[in-house]
């Protein structure tokens, strides 16, 4: 239970920090005395903030994926339930191998399916499961 709580808190931290920084910069900009400086800072912030936020989110997502990999990789999970016990802050979808970044050349055998986990809702981890929910292959497509 504690490990899940720590994972959840880290995820919230990764999402809240850039938002808090942007709000702080906006407040500082609005409180500046000179009108021309406020306008210039506002325009600069409007131009620079979206790409910086996108870069930060990509780095946060990658960092989250690596963090989760350090949890599940040493344990070498054999089943879907075991793998998912190490994951948090994700969504999952069944996909075709052609939609996988690293597993696009994989050929599914009868009874197999490929599931894509979007870690922090953006970093793909593609897993091939057999018909009895055992892991056949893991593709760390976020790398």
């Amino acid at each position: 239970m504690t490990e899940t709580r720590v994972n959840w808190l880290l995820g919230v931290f990764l999402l809240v920090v850039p938002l808090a920084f942007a709000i702080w910069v906006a407040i500082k900009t609005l409180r500046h005395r000179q009108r021309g400086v406020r306008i210039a800072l506002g325009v600069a912030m409007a131009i620079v903030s979206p790409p910086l936020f996108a870069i930060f989110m990509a780095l946060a997502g990658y960092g989250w994926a690596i963090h989760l990999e350090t949890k599940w990789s040493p344990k070498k999970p054999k089943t879907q339930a075991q793998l998912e016990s190490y994951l948090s802050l994700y969504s999952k979808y069944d996909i075709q191998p052609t939609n996988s970044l690293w597993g696009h050349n994989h050929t599914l055998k009868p009874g197999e399916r490929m599931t894509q986990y979007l870690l922090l809702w953006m970093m793909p981890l593609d897993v091939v499961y057999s018909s009895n929910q055992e892991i056949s292959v893991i593709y760390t497509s976020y790398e």
Side-chain angles (χ1 to χ4, degrees), residues 48-104:
V48 172
S49 294
L52 285 179
F53 187 74
I55 289 168
F56 183 82
M57 289 307 297
L59 291 174
Y62 181 72
W64 185 250
I66 294 297
H67 166 73
L68 292 178
E69 185 178 357
T70 62
K71 301 293 182 195
W72 63 261
S73 186
K75 303 293 183 181
K76 300 188 185 333
K78 303 278 188 246
T79 65
Q80 180 177 2
Q82 289 174 350
L83 176 64
E84 289 181 358
S85 71
Y86 297 107
L87 302 180
S88 58
L89 296 177
Y90 68 91
S91 58
K92 69 178 182 177
Y93 309 94
D94 285 342
I95 63 168
Q96 292 300 313
T98 55
N99 296 332
S100 171
L101 293 176
W102 280 29
H104 62 275

